[in-house]
Amino acid sequence: IQTIDQDDDDDDDDDDASETSDHANAKPTLRRILDEDSSTYEAIKSIATGIPRPGHSVVGQGTYRDGEHGWTELALRYVKGNTGDNAGGEAELYQSKGGELVGIDHLADTSREGLMDAGGAMARFEFK
């Protein structure tokens, strides 16, 4: 997951980090997504692997649209889970400098590298 930082004067709270459902902790995220919505699961799998969904010839806009909720949920759990002893990378650096995770921006980086490395997702940090 790539990261972006912002000043605290940005009022965009659409992707608040607390958006995960209470039910998200009941089952591992991927298992729950598969049980609830197999098309979202297939989209997530395609985003992660770069292999088109069955019946599709490319991993395109529809795949990213269909996988948005699940992909951002996974990205959020990834960033939150990679702190402390398991930490590494940009998220840990931002948090160590006082950054607070405020959300995940879907398709914030649509460059080829951004899509391949993080499915276009970026963690958004706010510094106060």
mmCIF file of all heavy atoms in Angstrom, residues 17-40:
data_model
loop_
_atom_site.group_PDB
_atom_site.id
_atom_site.type_symbol
_atom_site.label_atom_id
_atom_site.label_comp_id
_atom_site.label_asym_id
_atom_site.label_seq_id
_atom_site.Cartn_x
_atom_site.Cartn_y
_atom_site.Cartn_z
ATOM 1 N N ALA A 17 -10.800 5.955 8.840
ATOM 2 C CA ALA A 17 -10.149 4.692 9.191
ATOM 3 C C ALA A 17 -11.005 3.827 10.102
ATOM 4 O O ALA A 17 -10.776 2.635 10.227
ATOM 5 C CB ALA A 17 -8.811 4.988 9.865
ATOM 6 N N SER A 18 -12.019 4.394 10.725
ATOM 7 C CA SER A 18 -12.852 3.609 11.630
ATOM 8 C C SER A 18 -14.031 2.962 10.916
ATOM 9 O O SER A 18 -14.924 2.432 11.560
ATOM 10 C CB SER A 18 -13.365 4.496 12.762
ATOM 11 O OG SER A 18 -14.192 5.506 12.227
ATOM 12 N N GLU A 19 -14.056 2.979 9.577
ATOM 13 C CA GLU A 19 -15.189 2.459 8.839
ATOM 14 C C GLU A 19 -15.324 0.947 8.853
ATOM 15 O O GLU A 19 -16.317 0.431 8.380
ATOM 16 C CB GLU A 19 -15.113 2.911 7.377
ATOM 17 C CG GLU A 19 -15.574 4.309 7.162
ATOM 18 C CD GLU A 19 -15.605 4.647 5.686
ATOM 19 O OE1 GLU A 19 -15.312 3.782 4.849
ATOM 20 O OE2 GLU A 19 -15.939 5.785 5.382
ATOM 21 N N THR A 20 -14.355 0.221 9.344
ATOM 22 C CA THR A 20 -14.484 -1.230 9.319
ATOM 23 C C THR A 20 -15.647 -1.643 10.197
ATOM 24 O O THR A 20 -15.900 -1.079 11.236
ATOM 25 C CB THR A 20 -13.200 -1.922 9.810
ATOM 26 O OG1 THR A 20 -12.911 -1.464 11.117
ATOM 27 C CG2 THR A 20 -12.039 -1.645 8.873
ATOM 28 N N SER A 21 -16.380 -2.637 9.739
ATOM 29 C CA SER A 21 -17.563 -3.073 10.477
ATOM 30 C C SER A 21 -17.168 -3.898 11.695
ATOM 31 O O SER A 21 -16.117 -4.505 11.733
ATOM 32 C CB SER A 21 -18.462 -3.886 9.557
ATOM 33 O OG SER A 21 -17.830 -5.091 9.205
ATOM 34 N N ASP A 22 -18.040 -3.921 12.682
ATOM 35 C CA ASP A 22 -17.804 -4.737 13.874
ATOM 36 C C ASP A 22 -17.687 -6.201 13.479
ATOM 37 O O ASP A 22 -16.959 -6.968 14.074
ATOM 38 C CB ASP A 22 -18.962 -4.573 14.862
ATOM 39 C CG ASP A 22 -19.051 -3.172 15.398
ATOM 40 O OD1 ASP A 22 -18.039 -2.456 15.376
ATOM 41 O OD2 ASP A 22 -20.153 -2.799 15.835
ATOM 42 N N HIS A 23 -18.396 -6.564 12.458
ATOM 43 C CA HIS A 23 -18.454 -7.933 12.007
ATOM 44 C C HIS A 23 -17.172 -8.340 11.277
ATOM 45 O O HIS A 23 -16.914 -9.504 11.086
ATOM 46 C CB HIS A 23 -19.714 -7.990 11.155
ATOM 47 C CG HIS A 23 -19.794 -8.981 10.083
ATOM 48 N ND1 HIS A 23 -20.604 -10.059 10.178
ATOM 49 C CD2 HIS A 23 -19.220 -9.038 8.877
ATOM 50 C CE1 HIS A 23 -20.538 -10.742 9.051
ATOM 51 N NE2 HIS A 23 -19.703 -10.145 8.262
ATOM 52 N N ALA A 24 -16.319 -7.356 10.910
ATOM 53 C CA ALA A 24 -15.082 -7.644 10.175
ATOM 54 C C ALA A 24 -14.132 -8.516 10.984
ATOM 55 O O ALA A 24 -13.344 -9.254 10.415
ATOM 56 C CB ALA A 24 -14.386 -6.348 9.774
ATOM 57 N N ASN A 25 -14.183 -8.432 12.291
ATOM 58 C CA ASN A 25 -13.278 -9.215 13.113
ATOM 59 C C ASN A 25 -13.802 -10.621 13.398
ATOM 60 O O ASN A 25 -13.088 -11.447 13.936
ATOM 61 C CB ASN A 25 -13.003 -8.483 14.431
ATOM 62 C CG ASN A 25 -12.268 -7.190 14.178
ATOM 63 O OD1 ASN A 25 -11.405 -7.119 13.315
ATOM 64 N ND2 ASN A 25 -12.630 -6.162 14.911
ATOM 65 N N ALA A 26 -15.038 -10.898 13.015
ATOM 66 C CA ALA A 26 -15.629 -12.199 13.286
ATOM 67 C C ALA A 26 -14.979 -13.301 12.458
ATOM 68 O O ALA A 26 -14.828 -14.409 12.929
ATOM 69 C CB ALA A 26 -17.133 -12.157 13.022
ATOM 70 N N LYS A 27 -14.600 -13.014 11.242
ATOM 71 C CA LYS A 27 -13.954 -13.970 10.347
ATOM 72 C C LYS A 27 -12.788 -13.255 9.683
ATOM 73 O O LYS A 27 -12.818 -12.036 9.528
ATOM 74 C CB LYS A 27 -14.905 -14.407 9.232
ATOM 75 C CG LYS A 27 -15.983 -15.335 9.614
ATOM 76 C CD LYS A 27 -16.723 -15.741 8.348
ATOM 77 C CE LYS A 27 -17.851 -16.681 8.669
ATOM 78 N NZ LYS A 27 -18.571 -17.063 7.449
ATOM 79 N N PRO A 28 -11.806 -14.017 9.243
ATOM 80 C CA PRO A 28 -10.772 -13.371 8.438
ATOM 81 C C PRO A 28 -11.423 -12.650 7.254
ATOM 82 O O PRO A 28 -12.398 -13.134 6.680
ATOM 83 C CB PRO A 28 -9.905 -14.535 7.979
ATOM 84 C CG PRO A 28 -10.109 -15.588 9.026
ATOM 85 C CD PRO A 28 -11.540 -15.419 9.469
ATOM 86 N N THR A 29 -10.903 -11.506 6.886
ATOM 87 C CA THR A 29 -11.534 -10.636 5.907
ATOM 88 C C THR A 29 -11.821 -11.322 4.576
ATOM 89 O O THR A 29 -12.928 -11.230 4.062
ATOM 90 C CB THR A 29 -10.655 -9.396 5.675
ATOM 91 O OG1 THR A 29 -10.461 -8.759 6.936
ATOM 92 C CG2 THR A 29 -11.308 -8.415 4.733
ATOM 93 N N LEU A 30 -10.845 -11.991 3.992
ATOM 94 C CA LEU A 30 -11.071 -12.631 2.695
ATOM 95 C C LEU A 30 -12.155 -13.697 2.765
ATOM 96 O O LEU A 30 -12.991 -13.802 1.864
ATOM 97 C CB LEU A 30 -9.785 -13.229 2.145
ATOM 98 C CG LEU A 30 -8.820 -12.234 1.531
ATOM 99 C CD1 LEU A 30 -7.519 -12.926 1.131
ATOM 100 C CD2 LEU A 30 -9.430 -11.533 0.340
ATOM 101 N N ARG A 31 -12.174 -14.501 3.801
ATOM 102 C CA ARG A 31 -13.192 -15.539 3.959
ATOM 103 C C ARG A 31 -14.572 -14.899 4.050
ATOM 104 O O ARG A 31 -15.520 -15.344 3.432
ATOM 105 C CB ARG A 31 -12.896 -16.394 5.196
ATOM 106 C CG ARG A 31 -13.990 -17.385 5.564
ATOM 107 C CD ARG A 31 -14.380 -18.356 4.482
ATOM 108 N NE ARG A 31 -13.238 -19.134 4.051
ATOM 109 C CZ ARG A 31 -13.219 -19.868 2.930
ATOM 110 N NH1 ARG A 31 -14.275 -19.943 2.170
ATOM 111 N NH2 ARG A 31 -12.143 -20.525 2.596
ATOM 112 N N ARG A 32 -14.684 -13.827 4.823
ATOM 113 C CA ARG A 32 -15.970 -13.147 4.981
ATOM 114 C C ARG A 32 -16.430 -12.555 3.657
ATOM 115 O O ARG A 32 -17.591 -12.687 3.273
ATOM 116 C CB ARG A 32 -15.863 -12.051 6.041
ATOM 117 C CG ARG A 32 -17.192 -11.353 6.317
ATOM 118 C CD ARG A 32 -17.077 -10.273 7.362
ATOM 119 N NE ARG A 32 -15.979 -9.353 7.144
ATOM 120 C CZ ARG A 32 -15.968 -8.409 6.191
ATOM 121 N NH1 ARG A 32 -16.978 -8.277 5.371
ATOM 122 N NH2 ARG A 32 -14.941 -7.606 6.077
ATOM 123 N N ILE A 33 -15.511 -11.917 2.914
ATOM 124 C CA ILE A 33 -15.868 -11.337 1.616
ATOM 125 C C ILE A 33 -16.328 -12.429 0.658
ATOM 126 O O ILE A 33 -17.337 -12.273 -0.032
ATOM 127 C CB ILE A 33 -14.691 -10.529 1.033
ATOM 128 C CG1 ILE A 33 -14.460 -9.273 1.878
ATOM 129 C CG2 ILE A 33 -14.949 -10.158 -0.425
ATOM 130 C CD1 ILE A 33 -13.184 -8.528 1.556
ATOM 131 N N LEU A 34 -15.617 -13.544 0.622
ATOM 132 C CA LEU A 34 -15.999 -14.654 -0.240
ATOM 133 C C LEU A 34 -17.391 -15.157 0.126
ATOM 134 O O LEU A 34 -18.233 -15.383 -0.742
ATOM 135 C CB LEU A 34 -14.983 -15.789 -0.150
ATOM 136 C CG LEU A 34 -15.324 -17.062 -0.937
ATOM 137 C CD1 LEU A 34 -15.476 -16.765 -2.422
ATOM 138 C CD2 LEU A 34 -14.258 -18.120 -0.703
ATOM 139 N N ASP A 35 -17.654 -15.316 1.428
ATOM 140 C CA ASP A 35 -18.958 -15.797 1.881
ATOM 141 C C ASP A 35 -20.083 -14.815 1.547
ATOM 142 O O ASP A 35 -21.194 -15.222 1.238
ATOM 143 C CB ASP A 35 -18.945 -16.039 3.394
ATOM 144 C CG ASP A 35 -18.089 -17.241 3.781
ATOM 145 O OD1 ASP A 35 -17.697 -18.025 2.890
ATOM 146 O OD2 ASP A 35 -17.807 -17.376 4.992
ATOM 147 N N GLU A 36 -19.792 -13.518 1.612
ATOM 148 C CA GLU A 36 -20.822 -12.500 1.409
ATOM 149 C C GLU A 36 -21.042 -12.136 -0.056
ATOM 150 O O GLU A 36 -22.162 -11.837 -0.456
ATOM 151 C CB GLU A 36 -20.467 -11.225 2.186
ATOM 152 C CG GLU A 36 -20.559 -11.400 3.681
ATOM 153 C CD GLU A 36 -20.096 -10.170 4.445
ATOM 154 O OE1 GLU A 36 -19.695 -9.168 3.818
ATOM 155 O OE2 GLU A 36 -20.142 -10.221 5.679
ATOM 156 N N ASP A 37 -19.977 -12.121 -0.847
ATOM 157 C CA ASP A 37 -20.101 -11.626 -2.223
ATOM 158 C C ASP A 37 -18.967 -12.178 -3.077
ATOM 159 O O ASP A 37 -17.877 -11.614 -3.106
ATOM 160 C CB ASP A 37 -20.081 -10.099 -2.214
ATOM 161 C CG ASP A 37 -20.334 -9.493 -3.582
ATOM 162 O OD1 ASP A 37 -20.444 -10.239 -4.574
ATOM 163 O OD2 ASP A 37 -20.412 -8.250 -3.657
ATOM 164 N N SER A 38 -19.241 -13.251 -3.776
ATOM 165 C CA SER A 38 -18.187 -13.904 -4.559
ATOM 166 C C SER A 38 -17.686 -13.025 -5.705
ATOM 167 O O SER A 38 -16.536 -13.128 -6.103
ATOM 168 C CB SER A 38 -18.651 -15.260 -5.078
ATOM 169 O OG SER A 38 -19.743 -15.096 -5.958
ATOM 170 N N SER A 39 -18.528 -12.136 -6.254
ATOM 171 C CA SER A 39 -18.053 -11.271 -7.346
ATOM 172 C C SER A 39 -17.037 -10.256 -6.831
ATOM 173 O O SER A 39 -16.067 -9.943 -7.525
ATOM 174 C CB SER A 39 -19.213 -10.585 -8.053
ATOM 175 O OG SER A 39 -19.879 -9.699 -7.198
ATOM 176 N N THR A 40 -17.241 -9.739 -5.611
ATOM 177 C CA THR A 40 -16.252 -8.846 -5.007
ATOM 178 C C THR A 40 -14.962 -9.601 -4.755
ATOM 179 O O THR A 40 -13.872 -9.093 -5.029
ATOM 180 C CB THR A 40 -16.787 -8.240 -3.690
ATOM 181 O OG1 THR A 40 -17.939 -7.456 -3.974
ATOM 182 C CG2 THR A 40 -15.741 -7.378 -3.001
#
